[in-house]
Amino acid sequence: APTGDTLPAEASLGRLFDLSLDLLCIAGLDGYFKNINPAFTRVLGYRAEDLLSKGFIEFVHPEDRHPTGRELLPLPRPRIEQRPPPAS
């Protein structure tokens, strides 16, 4: 259960995320940004919708994609369970 201190801490973290001049993001193991701060759109010039709808590797310079992918290899991969189709 959240404590009384949780909400103020989350609000402070949200303000830090939103007001930071540095590019901050939350990226998922599926290769997509989950959240970006306003600095992303201001500095990079992309719309938030574009950044959130494409895999982040598409925003990496082509010459840097292979080394970037190599750095991502040690990260755990999401497990996708294969479920049988429902019986008719």
Side-chain angles (χ1 to χ4, degrees):
T3 65
D5 296 332
T6 303
L7 293 177
E10 288 177 6
S12 293
L13 183 58
R15 282 194 302 276
L16 174 68
F17 191 83
D18 290 340
L19 297 175
S20 177
L21 299 177
D22 293 323
L23 280 65
L24 302 177
C25 71
I26 298 171
L29 294 174
D30 61 356
Y32 285 82
F33 292 119
K34 303 304 178 189
N35 197 355
I36 56 171
N37 72 337
F40 257 81
T41 56
R42 188 175 56 252
V43 171
L44 300 178
Y46 291 102
R47 296 178 321 137
E49 297 81 18
D50 295 332
L51 289 163
L52 296 170
S53 67
K54 297 178 183 175
F56 58 73
I57 200 75
E58 292 193 36
F59 299 100
V60 175
H61 188 279
E63 292 179 10
D64 295 328
R65 286 183 182 174
H66 184 72
T68 300
R70 200 171 44 243
E71 291 298 318
L72 297 174
L73 284 175
L75 296 176
R77 298 283 174 252
R79 289 185 53 194
I80 300 173
E81 291 185 29
Q82 296 291 332
R83 296 183 181 176
S88 305

